[in-house]
Structure formats: structure tokens, C-alpha cells
Amino acid sequence: MAGPRPVVLSGPSGAGKSTLLKNLLKEYEGVFGFSVSRKCALHQSPGNCVKGVSYRNKYLIACSHPLDTTRSPRPGEENGKDYHYVTREYMQASINKGEFIESAVFSGNMYGTSKASVQAVKDKNLICILDIDMQGVRAVKTTDLNPIYVSIQPPSMNILEKRLRDRNTESEESLQKRLDAAQVDMEISKEPGIFDIVIVNDNLDDAYGKLKDALIEEIKKVQKNNLSS
Ligand SMILES: Nc1ncnc2c1ncn2[C@@H]1O[C@H](COP(=O)(O)OP(=O)(O)OP(=O)(O)O)[C@@H](O)[C@H]1O
């Protein structure tokens, strides 16, 4: 496949994925594309995310590829720009054929990231970031997208809980859900062969340095291609 390798970024909620990404996008403008459908579905705001602003303003960047959805276009929205509008039958059939990396249902409508949309980001000479959970990671493993698999982990459960509480974005119920899921995620990340690199986000600058080191080859590839085109 042509273009820079995509990057899978996974890890428990609150581990610091968005914080690290924000730094990366700021330092390397025009190098990354983004895929956020699962996260959008969890944040219950996929429409906003595609336009670049999630419900808590975490993603102040434009997605460089549209998600597929079965929902109807709203006035002013354009097919291929805001979303790829597809029928439920088509999307379900595509999912069954394994053409989607991830999909989720929100308010009765399906949303998803197709392999083709990740390829489209690569074709634009952008590194596609897939910010996905373990289920998504396993789905990507069955594709030929050949990403760099990065796991971001918190230093400890106690610190994760404190960061999530301090972030002030979760109800007690959703906080507990995230902590339960985090425990499982932290265990899985230790399994050999799943991730190319596991970064423990204790000191932010150190963690960011490690993330940059892991991606620098692809970043340079994009920059070099940009210079020569
Ligand atoms: N190294 C760090 N030291 C201290 N605080 C941090 C560090 N990294 C991130 N944080 C803080 O921890 C909180 C959680 O980080 P962030 O929102 O980036 O996590 P996330 O993995 O993207 O979570 P989610 O998957 O829920 O979006 C934020 O308030 C962030 O400012």
C-alpha cells in the first residue's frame, strides 16, 4: 500500500491519548489525518467530531476523511465531505464483508470507519491516526493496513482515576466503567505481539518524546514527499 503507515493509538480512557495527539498535531501541522468514529460514538457526538469539534472540544482539527453513516444528510451537508451517506443495507453488507475497521450505532444510525477511508488518508500523504479501543485494534490486525501499533498506558490505576476525576468530564457511573475497562486494557497491553510500543504516560514530555521517536520515520516520509511534490 502506498503512503505513510497509519498509526493505531490505543489505551485506557484517561491515559492521555488526546493530550499526546494534540501535541503531535501542533508540532507537525499537515502531517496527520484522523479517524475518530468509535470515540465519537462514545462521546455521542459524531457529527460534531467530523466537523472538527468534539463535545468537549478535544479535537480541534478537521478529520481528513469522512465517516460512513446511514443517517440522512442535514441541510447544507455534502456527501463525501461531511459523511459518506450510505444505506443501512449497504453498510451492513460492507461490515459483513470485513470492509470496516470499526462501527458503532448512535441514535439508531450506524457510523463507521472503513478500510477505504484509511487508505484515502494514506493516499493524501497523511499519517492516519486510528484512536481505537482493543476491539478496533483486533479488527485492524486482520487488515493489510500495516499500522504502527502504539499503546498509551497510565502509570497506575490510582493516577488514572485521579486524572479522570480531575478532568471533570465523567459521571460517577461512566468513571467506574472506564476504570473497569482500563484494568482489562492494561493487562492486554502487556501481551507480547499486540503493540509495537507501549508508552507509560507518567511525565508528559517523556511520553511525548517516546511517541515522536516511534513515529519519526513516517513523519519524515510525509515531509519528504511534501517537499518533492
Ligand atoms: N502526563 C500527564 N501528567 C498529568 N496529567 C496528564 C498527563 N497526560 C494527560 N493528563 C491529563 O489527564 C487527563 C486525561 O487525558 P486525556 O483526555 O488526554 O486522555 P485520553 O486517553 O484521551 O482519554 P479518552 O480516551 O477518555 O478521550 C486530561 O485532563 C489530561 O490533561
Side-chain angles (χ1 to χ4, degrees), residues 11-21 39 43 56 58-59 131 152 155 159-160 162-164 166-170 178 201-205 207:
S13 171
K17 302 177 296 293
S18 318
T19 307
L20 289 163
L21 257 178
K39 187 171 279 275
H43 288 169
R56 56 187 160 91
K58 279 177 66 180
Y59 301 111
D131 184 347
I152 306 295
I159 291 177
L160 180 70
K162 182 175 184 324
R163 286 183 188 167
L164 278 172
D166 289 350
R167 193 172 74 178
N168 231 355
T169 51
E170 312 306 322
R178 278 160 204 259
N201 178 21
D202 191 350
N203 174 285
L204 187 61
D205 290 341

PDB file of all heavy atoms in Angstrom, residues 11-21 39 43 56 58-59 131 152 155 159-160 162-164 166-170 178 201-205 207, ligand 1:
ATOM      1  N   GLY A  11      -5.433   2.593  24.257  1.00  0.00           N
ATOM      2  CA  GLY A  11      -5.106   2.674  25.679  1.00  0.00           C
ATOM      3  C   GLY A  11      -6.338   3.118  26.454  1.00  0.00           C
ATOM      4  O   GLY A  11      -7.291   3.634  25.865  1.00  0.00           O
ATOM      5  N   PRO A  12      -6.303   2.946  27.753  1.00  0.00           N
ATOM      6  CA  PRO A  12      -7.478   3.269  28.567  1.00  0.00           C
ATOM      7  C   PRO A  12      -7.912   4.724  28.453  1.00  0.00           C
ATOM      8  O   PRO A  12      -7.074   5.603  28.200  1.00  0.00           O
ATOM      9  CB  PRO A  12      -7.007   2.990  29.996  1.00  0.00           C
ATOM     10  CG  PRO A  12      -5.802   2.176  29.884  1.00  0.00           C
ATOM     11  CD  PRO A  12      -5.175   2.464  28.561  1.00  0.00           C
ATOM     12  N   SER A  13      -9.160   4.945  28.656  1.00  0.00           N
ATOM     13  CA  SER A  13      -9.678   6.311  28.734  1.00  0.00           C
ATOM     14  C   SER A  13      -8.975   7.045  29.869  1.00  0.00           C
ATOM     15  O   SER A  13      -8.907   6.539  30.995  1.00  0.00           O
ATOM     16  CB  SER A  13     -11.186   6.250  29.001  1.00  0.00           C
ATOM     17  OG  SER A  13     -11.668   7.529  29.286  1.00  0.00           O
ATOM     18  N   GLY A  14      -8.419   8.187  29.560  1.00  0.00           N
ATOM     19  CA  GLY A  14      -7.732   8.966  30.586  1.00  0.00           C
ATOM     20  C   GLY A  14      -6.229   8.744  30.588  1.00  0.00           C
ATOM     21  O   GLY A  14      -5.492   9.395  31.328  1.00  0.00           O
ATOM     22  N   ALA A  15      -5.746   7.830  29.740  1.00  0.00           N
ATOM     23  CA  ALA A  15      -4.303   7.540  29.715  1.00  0.00           C
ATOM     24  C   ALA A  15      -3.509   8.705  29.131  1.00  0.00           C
ATOM     25  O   ALA A  15      -2.311   8.824  29.350  1.00  0.00           O
ATOM     26  CB  ALA A  15      -4.030   6.276  28.911  1.00  0.00           C
ATOM     27  N   GLY A  16      -4.191   9.535  28.331  1.00  0.00           N
ATOM     28  CA  GLY A  16      -3.508  10.716  27.790  1.00  0.00           C
ATOM     29  C   GLY A  16      -3.351  10.713  26.277  1.00  0.00           C
ATOM     30  O   GLY A  16      -2.556  11.485  25.737  1.00  0.00           O
ATOM     31  N   LYS A  17      -4.123   9.889  25.595  1.00  0.00           N
ATOM     32  CA  LYS A  17      -4.005   9.781  24.133  1.00  0.00           C
ATOM     33  C   LYS A  17      -4.263  11.134  23.459  1.00  0.00           C
ATOM     34  O   LYS A  17      -3.497  11.587  22.622  1.00  0.00           O
ATOM     35  CB  LYS A  17      -4.990   8.733  23.586  1.00  0.00           C
ATOM     36  CG  LYS A  17      -4.805   7.346  24.172  1.00  0.00           C
ATOM     37  CD  LYS A  17      -5.828   6.378  23.679  1.00  0.00           C
ATOM     38  CE  LYS A  17      -7.250   6.702  24.065  1.00  0.00           C
ATOM     39  NZ  LYS A  17      -7.554   6.596  25.507  1.00  0.00           N
ATOM     40  N   SER A  18      -5.355  11.771  23.848  1.00  0.00           N
ATOM     41  CA  SER A  18      -5.717  13.045  23.201  1.00  0.00           C
ATOM     42  C   SER A  18      -4.693  14.126  23.507  1.00  0.00           C
ATOM     43  O   SER A  18      -4.371  14.949  22.655  1.00  0.00           O
ATOM     44  CB  SER A  18      -7.074  13.528  23.690  1.00  0.00           C
ATOM     45  OG  SER A  18      -7.955  12.473  23.760  1.00  0.00           O
ATOM     46  N   THR A  19      -4.191  14.125  24.727  1.00  0.00           N
ATOM     47  CA  THR A  19      -3.196  15.124  25.121  1.00  0.00           C
ATOM     48  C   THR A  19      -1.945  14.973  24.269  1.00  0.00           C
ATOM     49  O   THR A  19      -1.410  15.954  23.742  1.00  0.00           O
ATOM     50  CB  THR A  19      -2.839  14.950  26.618  1.00  0.00           C
ATOM     51  OG1 THR A  19      -4.058  14.950  27.372  1.00  0.00           O
ATOM     52  CG2 THR A  19      -1.940  16.050  27.119  1.00  0.00           C
ATOM     53  N   LEU A  20      -1.503  13.739  24.110  1.00  0.00           N
ATOM     54  CA  LEU A  20      -0.304  13.486  23.310  1.00  0.00           C
ATOM     55  C   LEU A  20      -0.559  13.813  21.840  1.00  0.00           C
ATOM     56  O   LEU A  20       0.287  14.400  21.168  1.00  0.00           O
ATOM     57  CB  LEU A  20       0.119  12.020  23.470  1.00  0.00           C
ATOM     58  CG  LEU A  20       0.691  11.677  24.844  1.00  0.00           C
ATOM     59  CD1 LEU A  20       0.699  10.169  25.073  1.00  0.00           C
ATOM     60  CD2 LEU A  20       2.121  12.218  24.973  1.00  0.00           C
ATOM     61  N   LEU A  21      -1.732  13.454  21.384  1.00  0.00           N
ATOM     62  CA  LEU A  21      -2.085  13.735  19.983  1.00  0.00           C
ATOM     63  C   LEU A  21      -2.110  15.221  19.694  1.00  0.00           C
ATOM     64  O   LEU A  21      -1.655  15.676  18.651  1.00  0.00           O
ATOM     65  CB  LEU A  21      -3.487  13.193  19.712  1.00  0.00           C
ATOM     66  CG  LEU A  21      -3.576  11.898  18.931  1.00  0.00           C
ATOM     67  CD1 LEU A  21      -5.014  11.477  18.787  1.00  0.00           C
ATOM     68  CD2 LEU A  21      -2.933  12.070  17.563  1.00  0.00           C
ATOM     69  N   LYS A  39     -14.625   6.755  19.014  1.00  0.00           N
ATOM     70  CA  LYS A  39     -14.585   7.758  20.062  1.00  0.00           C
ATOM     71  C   LYS A  39     -15.788   8.685  19.956  1.00  0.00           C
ATOM     72  O   LYS A  39     -16.433   9.011  20.939  1.00  0.00           O
ATOM     73  CB  LYS A  39     -13.289   8.556  19.957  1.00  0.00           C
ATOM     74  CG  LYS A  39     -13.059   9.508  21.100  1.00  0.00           C
ATOM     75  CD  LYS A  39     -11.685  10.086  21.040  1.00  0.00           C
ATOM     76  CE  LYS A  39     -10.628   9.189  21.581  1.00  0.00           C
ATOM     77  NZ  LYS A  39     -10.459   9.280  23.019  1.00  0.00           N
ATOM     78  N   HIS A  43     -18.544   9.401  22.633  1.00  0.00           N
ATOM     79  CA  HIS A  43     -18.787  10.760  23.109  1.00  0.00           C
ATOM     80  C   HIS A  43     -20.145  11.273  22.679  1.00  0.00           C
ATOM     81  O   HIS A  43     -20.524  12.377  22.987  1.00  0.00           O
ATOM     82  CB  HIS A  43     -17.703  11.702  22.576  1.00  0.00           C
ATOM     83  CG  HIS A  43     -16.381  11.485  23.248  1.00  0.00           C
ATOM     84  ND1 HIS A  43     -15.234  12.049  22.804  1.00  0.00           N
ATOM     85  CD2 HIS A  43     -16.059  10.766  24.328  1.00  0.00           C
ATOM     86  CE1 HIS A  43     -14.228  11.665  23.589  1.00  0.00           C
ATOM     87  NE2 HIS A  43     -14.712  10.891  24.509  1.00  0.00           N
ATOM     88  N   ARG A  56     -16.359  17.969  23.973  1.00  0.00           N
ATOM     89  CA  ARG A  56     -15.592  18.726  24.964  1.00  0.00           C
ATOM     90  C   ARG A  56     -14.354  19.343  24.323  1.00  0.00           C
ATOM     91  O   ARG A  56     -13.308  19.472  24.919  1.00  0.00           O
ATOM     92  CB  ARG A  56     -15.262  17.896  26.196  1.00  0.00           C
ATOM     93  CG  ARG A  56     -14.526  16.613  25.941  1.00  0.00           C
ATOM     94  CD  ARG A  56     -14.447  15.851  27.255  1.00  0.00           C
ATOM     95  NE  ARG A  56     -14.195  14.460  27.052  1.00  0.00           N
ATOM     96  CZ  ARG A  56     -12.994  13.937  27.019  1.00  0.00           C
ATOM     97  NH1 ARG A  56     -11.945  14.693  27.164  1.00  0.00           N
ATOM     98  NH2 ARG A  56     -12.843  12.654  26.858  1.00  0.00           N
ATOM     99  N   LYS A  58     -12.138  18.530  22.351  1.00  0.00           N
ATOM    100  CA  LYS A  58     -10.827  17.896  22.381  1.00  0.00           C
ATOM    101  C   LYS A  58     -10.179  17.869  21.007  1.00  0.00           C
ATOM    102  O   LYS A  58      -8.980  17.904  20.887  1.00  0.00           O
ATOM    103  CB  LYS A  58     -10.962  16.468  22.899  1.00  0.00           C
ATOM    104  CG  LYS A  58     -11.050  16.428  24.401  1.00  0.00           C
ATOM    105  CD  LYS A  58     -11.242  15.039  24.893  1.00  0.00           C
ATOM    106  CE  LYS A  58     -10.037  14.196  24.608  1.00  0.00           C
ATOM    107  NZ  LYS A  58     -10.187  12.821  25.069  1.00  0.00           N
ATOM    108  N   TYR A  59     -11.014  17.775  19.984  1.00  0.00           N
ATOM    109  CA  TYR A  59     -10.447  17.581  18.658  1.00  0.00           C
ATOM    110  C   TYR A  59     -10.655  18.799  17.791  1.00  0.00           C
ATOM    111  O   TYR A  59     -11.576  18.875  17.010  1.00  0.00           O
ATOM    112  CB  TYR A  59     -11.042  16.339  18.006  1.00  0.00           C
ATOM    113  CG  TYR A  59     -10.761  15.145  18.843  1.00  0.00           C
ATOM    114  CD1 TYR A  59     -11.770  14.500  19.515  1.00  0.00           C
ATOM    115  CD2 TYR A  59      -9.454  14.719  19.010  1.00  0.00           C
ATOM    116  CE1 TYR A  59     -11.496  13.421  20.324  1.00  0.00           C
ATOM    117  CE2 TYR A  59      -9.169  13.648  19.818  1.00  0.00           C
ATOM    118  CZ  TYR A  59     -10.186  13.002  20.467  1.00  0.00           C
ATOM    119  OH  TYR A  59      -9.905  11.951  21.275  1.00  0.00           O
ATOM    120  N   ASP A 131      -7.553   6.217  16.572  1.00  0.00           N
ATOM    121  CA  ASP A 131      -7.656   6.250  18.035  1.00  0.00           C
ATOM    122  C   ASP A 131      -8.763   5.273  18.420  1.00  0.00           C
ATOM    123  O   ASP A 131      -9.938   5.621  18.436  1.00  0.00           O
ATOM    124  CB  ASP A 131      -8.002   7.692  18.444  1.00  0.00           C
ATOM    125  CG  ASP A 131      -8.047   7.872  19.953  1.00  0.00           C
ATOM    126  OD1 ASP A 131      -8.049   6.858  20.678  1.00  0.00           O
ATOM    127  OD2 ASP A 131      -8.085   9.024  20.405  1.00  0.00           O
ATOM    128  N   ILE A 152      -0.927   3.600  24.784  1.00  0.00           N
ATOM    129  CA  ILE A 152      -0.620   4.610  25.805  1.00  0.00           C
ATOM    130  C   ILE A 152      -1.232   4.112  27.118  1.00  0.00           C
ATOM    131  O   ILE A 152      -2.427   3.824  27.181  1.00  0.00           O
ATOM    132  CB  ILE A 152      -1.244   5.987  25.443  1.00  0.00           C
ATOM    133  CG1 ILE A 152      -0.836   6.431  24.035  1.00  0.00           C
ATOM    134  CG2 ILE A 152      -0.877   7.037  26.497  1.00  0.00           C
ATOM    135  CD1 ILE A 152       0.628   6.719  23.833  1.00  0.00           C
ATOM    136  N   PRO A 155       0.472   5.465  34.465  1.00  0.00           N
ATOM    137  CA  PRO A 155       1.464   4.871  35.368  1.00  0.00           C
ATOM    138  C   PRO A 155       0.830   3.901  36.369  1.00  0.00           C
ATOM    139  O   PRO A 155       1.463   2.934  36.773  1.00  0.00           O
ATOM    140  CB  PRO A 155       2.053   6.073  36.105  1.00  0.00           C
ATOM    141  CG  PRO A 155       1.599   7.282  35.377  1.00  0.00           C
ATOM    142  CD  PRO A 155       0.393   6.924  34.590  1.00  0.00           C
ATOM    143  N   ILE A 159      -3.404   6.780  39.628  1.00  0.00           N
ATOM    144  CA  ILE A 159      -3.139   8.023  38.891  1.00  0.00           C
ATOM    145  C   ILE A 159      -4.186   8.207  37.784  1.00  0.00           C
ATOM    146  O   ILE A 159      -4.676   9.314  37.543  1.00  0.00           O
ATOM    147  CB  ILE A 159      -1.697   8.021  38.329  1.00  0.00           C
ATOM    148  CG1 ILE A 159      -0.709   8.130  39.493  1.00  0.00           C
ATOM    149  CG2 ILE A 159      -1.479   9.179  37.351  1.00  0.00           C
ATOM    150  CD1 ILE A 159       0.752   8.064  39.119  1.00  0.00           C
ATOM    151  N   LEU A 160      -4.552   7.111  37.141  1.00  0.00           N
ATOM    152  CA  LEU A 160      -5.581   7.200  36.094  1.00  0.00           C
ATOM    153  C   LEU A 160      -6.883   7.746  36.683  1.00  0.00           C
ATOM    154  O   LEU A 160      -7.512   8.652  36.128  1.00  0.00           O
ATOM    155  CB  LEU A 160      -5.826   5.816  35.478  1.00  0.00           C
ATOM    156  CG  LEU A 160      -6.878   5.791  34.376  1.00  0.00           C
ATOM    157  CD1 LEU A 160      -6.369   6.509  33.136  1.00  0.00           C
ATOM    158  CD2 LEU A 160      -7.269   4.365  34.011  1.00  0.00           C
ATOM    159  N   LYS A 162      -7.292   9.554  39.309  1.00  0.00           N
ATOM    160  CA  LYS A 162      -7.143  10.968  39.669  1.00  0.00           C
ATOM    161  C   LYS A 162      -7.253  11.850  38.419  1.00  0.00           C
ATOM    162  O   LYS A 162      -7.949  12.869  38.421  1.00  0.00           O
ATOM    163  CB  LYS A 162      -5.797  11.187  40.375  1.00  0.00           C
ATOM    164  CG  LYS A 162      -5.619  12.624  40.797  1.00  0.00           C
ATOM    165  CD  LYS A 162      -4.376  12.886  41.608  1.00  0.00           C
ATOM    166  CE  LYS A 162      -4.262  14.318  42.101  1.00  0.00           C
ATOM    167  NZ  LYS A 162      -4.742  15.368  41.244  1.00  0.00           N
ATOM    168  N   ARG A 163      -6.597  11.426  37.349  1.00  0.00           N
ATOM    169  CA  ARG A 163      -6.643  12.236  36.120  1.00  0.00           C
ATOM    170  C   ARG A 163      -8.062  12.316  35.564  1.00  0.00           C
ATOM    171  O   ARG A 163      -8.503  13.370  35.104  1.00  0.00           O
ATOM    172  CB  ARG A 163      -5.696  11.654  35.069  1.00  0.00           C
ATOM    173  CG  ARG A 163      -4.242  11.937  35.395  1.00  0.00           C
ATOM    174  CD  ARG A 163      -3.322  11.417  34.303  1.00  0.00           C
ATOM    175  NE  ARG A 163      -1.932  11.524  34.714  1.00  0.00           N
ATOM    176  CZ  ARG A 163      -0.922  10.938  34.104  1.00  0.00           C
ATOM    177  NH1 ARG A 163      -1.144  10.180  33.041  1.00  0.00           N
ATOM    178  NH2 ARG A 163       0.316  11.092  34.540  1.00  0.00           N
ATOM    179  N   LEU A 164      -8.754  11.187  35.607  1.00  0.00           N
ATOM    180  CA  LEU A 164     -10.129  11.206  35.091  1.00  0.00           C
ATOM    181  C   LEU A 164     -11.031  12.081  35.961  1.00  0.00           C
ATOM    182  O   LEU A 164     -11.867  12.833  35.464  1.00  0.00           O
ATOM    183  CB  LEU A 164     -10.689   9.782  35.013  1.00  0.00           C
ATOM    184  CG  LEU A 164     -10.283   8.969  33.778  1.00  0.00           C
ATOM    185  CD1 LEU A 164     -10.745   7.521  33.906  1.00  0.00           C
ATOM    186  CD2 LEU A 164     -10.834   9.577  32.502  1.00  0.00           C
ATOM    187  N   ASP A 166     -10.021  14.595  37.850  1.00  0.00           N
ATOM    188  CA  ASP A 166      -9.616  15.996  37.662  1.00  0.00           C
ATOM    189  C   ASP A 166     -10.106  16.547  36.322  1.00  0.00           C
ATOM    190  O   ASP A 166     -10.325  17.746  36.178  1.00  0.00           O
ATOM    191  CB  ASP A 166      -8.087  16.139  37.739  1.00  0.00           C
ATOM    192  CG  ASP A 166      -7.569  15.939  39.152  1.00  0.00           C
ATOM    193  OD1 ASP A 166      -8.400  15.882  40.082  1.00  0.00           O
ATOM    194  OD2 ASP A 166      -6.335  15.816  39.323  1.00  0.00           O
ATOM    195  N   ARG A 167     -10.222  15.660  35.325  1.00  0.00           N
ATOM    196  CA  ARG A 167     -10.678  16.099  34.005  1.00  0.00           C
ATOM    197  C   ARG A 167     -12.131  16.584  34.067  1.00  0.00           C
ATOM    198  O   ARG A 167     -12.566  17.383  33.254  1.00  0.00           O
ATOM    199  CB  ARG A 167     -10.519  14.963  32.991  1.00  0.00           C
ATOM    200  CG  ARG A 167     -10.670  15.413  31.564  1.00  0.00           C
ATOM    201  CD  ARG A 167     -10.326  14.304  30.586  1.00  0.00           C
ATOM    202  NE  ARG A 167     -11.355  13.276  30.515  1.00  0.00           N
ATOM    203  CZ  ARG A 167     -11.308  12.225  29.715  1.00  0.00           C
ATOM    204  NH1 ARG A 167     -10.281  12.032  28.918  1.00  0.00           N
ATOM    205  NH2 ARG A 167     -12.288  11.336  29.707  1.00  0.00           N
ATOM    206  N   ASN A 168     -12.855  16.018  35.031  1.00  0.00           N
ATOM    207  CA  ASN A 168     -14.207  16.526  35.284  1.00  0.00           C
ATOM    208  C   ASN A 168     -15.168  16.348  34.115  1.00  0.00           C
ATOM    209  O   ASN A 168     -15.995  17.217  33.846  1.00  0.00           O
ATOM    210  CB  ASN A 168     -14.112  18.030  35.590  1.00  0.00           C
ATOM    211  CG  ASN A 168     -14.850  18.347  36.861  1.00  0.00           C
ATOM    212  OD1 ASN A 168     -15.498  17.464  37.449  1.00  0.00           O
ATOM    213  ND2 ASN A 168     -14.784  19.600  37.293  1.00  0.00           N
ATOM    214  N   THR A 169     -15.010  15.248  33.407  1.00  0.00           N
ATOM    215  CA  THR A 169     -15.873  15.038  32.240  1.00  0.00           C
ATOM    216  C   THR A 169     -16.815  13.858  32.422  1.00  0.00           C
ATOM    217  O   THR A 169     -17.697  13.654  31.599  1.00  0.00           O
ATOM    218  CB  THR A 169     -15.017  14.748  30.983  1.00  0.00           C
ATOM    219  OG1 THR A 169     -14.096  13.706  31.304  1.00  0.00           O
ATOM    220  CG2 THR A 169     -14.270  15.976  30.505  1.00  0.00           C
ATOM    221  N   GLU A 170     -16.610  13.092  33.482  1.00  0.00           N
ATOM    222  CA  GLU A 170     -17.371  11.851  33.608  1.00  0.00           C
ATOM    223  C   GLU A 170     -18.315  11.877  34.802  1.00  0.00           C
ATOM    224  O   GLU A 170     -18.015  12.475  35.827  1.00  0.00           O
ATOM    225  CB  GLU A 170     -16.410  10.648  33.782  1.00  0.00           C
ATOM    226  CG  GLU A 170     -15.264  10.578  32.805  1.00  0.00           C
ATOM    227  CD  GLU A 170     -15.698  10.636  31.367  1.00  0.00           C
ATOM    228  OE1 GLU A 170     -16.746  10.043  31.027  1.00  0.00           O
ATOM    229  OE2 GLU A 170     -15.014  11.290  30.565  1.00  0.00           O
ATOM    230  N   ARG A 178     -15.060   3.263  32.918  1.00  0.00           N
ATOM    231  CA  ARG A 178     -13.750   3.495  32.312  1.00  0.00           C
ATOM    232  C   ARG A 178     -12.647   2.830  33.130  1.00  0.00           C
ATOM    233  O   ARG A 178     -11.694   2.281  32.575  1.00  0.00           O
ATOM    234  CB  ARG A 178     -13.499   5.006  32.181  1.00  0.00           C
ATOM    235  CG  ARG A 178     -14.170   5.582  30.961  1.00  0.00           C
ATOM    236  CD  ARG A 178     -14.379   7.085  31.030  1.00  0.00           C
ATOM    237  NE  ARG A 178     -15.488   7.448  30.154  1.00  0.00           N
ATOM    238  CZ  ARG A 178     -15.366   7.961  28.940  1.00  0.00           C
ATOM    239  NH1 ARG A 178     -14.189   8.226  28.460  1.00  0.00           N
ATOM    240  NH2 ARG A 178     -16.421   8.228  28.203  1.00  0.00           N
ATOM    241  N   ASN A 201       2.543   6.849  30.192  1.00  0.00           N
ATOM    242  CA  ASN A 201       2.450   8.318  30.235  1.00  0.00           C
ATOM    243  C   ASN A 201       2.497   8.813  31.679  1.00  0.00           C
ATOM    244  O   ASN A 201       1.479   9.126  32.275  1.00  0.00           O
ATOM    245  CB  ASN A 201       1.155   8.763  29.539  1.00  0.00           C
ATOM    246  CG  ASN A 201       0.969  10.274  29.589  1.00  0.00           C
ATOM    247  OD1 ASN A 201       1.922  11.019  29.784  1.00  0.00           O
ATOM    248  ND2 ASN A 201      -0.266  10.716  29.426  1.00  0.00           N
ATOM    249  N   ASP A 202       3.733   8.859  32.203  1.00  0.00           N
ATOM    250  CA  ASP A 202       3.925   9.387  33.558  1.00  0.00           C
ATOM    251  C   ASP A 202       4.261  10.870  33.404  1.00  0.00           C
ATOM    252  O   ASP A 202       3.398  11.739  33.534  1.00  0.00           O
ATOM    253  CB  ASP A 202       5.056   8.599  34.229  1.00  0.00           C
ATOM    254  CG  ASP A 202       5.152   8.877  35.711  1.00  0.00           C
ATOM    255  OD1 ASP A 202       4.472   9.804  36.173  1.00  0.00           O
ATOM    256  OD2 ASP A 202       5.904   8.181  36.405  1.00  0.00           O
ATOM    257  N   ASN A 203       5.512  11.137  33.021  1.00  0.00           N
ATOM    258  CA  ASN A 203       5.864  12.522  32.695  1.00  0.00           C
ATOM    259  C   ASN A 203       5.470  12.791  31.230  1.00  0.00           C
ATOM    260  O   ASN A 203       5.861  12.047  30.325  1.00  0.00           O
ATOM    261  CB  ASN A 203       7.379  12.698  32.879  1.00  0.00           C
ATOM    262  CG  ASN A 203       7.841  14.073  32.425  1.00  0.00           C
ATOM    263  OD1 ASN A 203       7.939  14.336  31.235  1.00  0.00           O
ATOM    264  ND2 ASN A 203       8.095  14.939  33.378  1.00  0.00           N
ATOM    265  N   LEU A 204       4.698  13.841  31.020  1.00  0.00           N
ATOM    266  CA  LEU A 204       4.141  14.084  29.686  1.00  0.00           C
ATOM    267  C   LEU A 204       5.221  14.301  28.626  1.00  0.00           C
ATOM    268  O   LEU A 204       5.136  13.752  27.528  1.00  0.00           O
ATOM    269  CB  LEU A 204       3.175  15.279  29.734  1.00  0.00           C
ATOM    270  CG  LEU A 204       2.397  15.557  28.455  1.00  0.00           C
ATOM    271  CD1 LEU A 204       1.518  14.378  28.062  1.00  0.00           C
ATOM    272  CD2 LEU A 204       1.542  16.809  28.613  1.00  0.00           C
ATOM    273  N   ASP A 205       6.233  15.084  28.966  1.00  0.00           N
ATOM    274  CA  ASP A 205       7.293  15.363  27.981  1.00  0.00           C
ATOM    275  C   ASP A 205       8.032  14.082  27.576  1.00  0.00           C
ATOM    276  O   ASP A 205       8.343  13.876  26.402  1.00  0.00           O
ATOM    277  CB  ASP A 205       8.309  16.376  28.537  1.00  0.00           C
ATOM    278  CG  ASP A 205       7.688  17.761  28.649  1.00  0.00           C
ATOM    279  OD1 ASP A 205       6.663  17.993  27.982  1.00  0.00           O
ATOM    280  OD2 ASP A 205       8.219  18.578  29.417  1.00  0.00           O
ATOM    281  N   ALA A 207       6.834  11.012  27.716  1.00  0.00           N
ATOM    282  CA  ALA A 207       5.921  10.167  26.925  1.00  0.00           C
ATOM    283  C   ALA A 207       5.813  10.711  25.502  1.00  0.00           C
ATOM    284  O   ALA A 207       5.848   9.953  24.524  1.00  0.00           O
ATOM    285  CB  ALA A 207       4.540  10.126  27.583  1.00  0.00           C
TER     286      ALA A 207
HETATM  287  N1  LIG B   1       1.464  13.019  31.740  1.00  0.00           N
HETATM  288  C1  LIG B   1       0.409  13.585  32.312  1.00  0.00           C
HETATM  289  N2  LIG B   1       0.504  14.104  33.544  1.00  0.00           N
HETATM  290  C2  LIG B   1      -0.574  14.656  34.143  1.00  0.00           C
HETATM  291  N3  LIG B   1      -1.807  14.779  33.578  1.00  0.00           N
HETATM  292  C3  LIG B   1      -1.952  14.273  32.344  1.00  0.00           C
HETATM  293  C4  LIG B   1      -0.867  13.662  31.642  1.00  0.00           C
HETATM  294  N4  LIG B   1      -1.323  13.261  30.434  1.00  0.00           N
HETATM  295  C5  LIG B   1      -2.618  13.611  30.385  1.00  0.00           C
HETATM  296  N5  LIG B   1      -3.006  14.214  31.518  1.00  0.00           N
HETATM  297  C6  LIG B   1      -4.349  14.703  31.858  1.00  0.00           C
HETATM  298  O1  LIG B   1      -5.135  13.546  32.082  1.00  0.00           O
HETATM  299  C7  LIG B   1      -6.459  13.735  31.601  1.00  0.00           C
HETATM  300  C8  LIG B   1      -6.785  12.616  30.622  1.00  0.00           C
HETATM  301  O2  LIG B   1      -6.025  12.783  29.438  1.00  0.00           O
HETATM  302  P1  LIG B   1      -6.693  12.654  28.009  1.00  0.00           P
HETATM  303  O3  LIG B   1      -8.008  13.328  27.964  1.00  0.00           O
HETATM  304  O4  LIG B   1      -5.659  13.062  27.024  1.00  0.00           O
HETATM  305  O5  LIG B   1      -6.906  11.069  27.962  1.00  0.00           O
HETATM  306  P2  LIG B   1      -7.477  10.125  26.801  1.00  0.00           P
HETATM  307  O6  LIG B   1      -6.649   8.901  26.812  1.00  0.00           O
HETATM  308  O7  LIG B   1      -7.538  10.863  25.516  1.00  0.00           O
HETATM  309  O8  LIG B   1      -8.934   9.813  27.312  1.00  0.00           O
HETATM  310  P3  LIG B   1     -10.266   9.450  26.467  1.00  0.00           P
HETATM  311  O9  LIG B   1      -9.970   8.127  25.802  1.00  0.00           O
HETATM  312  O10 LIG B   1     -11.324   9.363  27.528  1.00  0.00           O
HETATM  313  O11 LIG B   1     -10.506  10.539  25.499  1.00  0.00           O
HETATM  314  C9  LIG B   1      -6.506  15.118  30.970  1.00  0.00           C
HETATM  315  O12 LIG B   1      -7.097  16.017  31.884  1.00  0.00           O
HETATM  316  C10 LIG B   1      -5.038  15.460  30.728  1.00  0.00           C
HETATM  317  O13 LIG B   1      -4.790  16.859  30.815  1.00  0.00           O
END
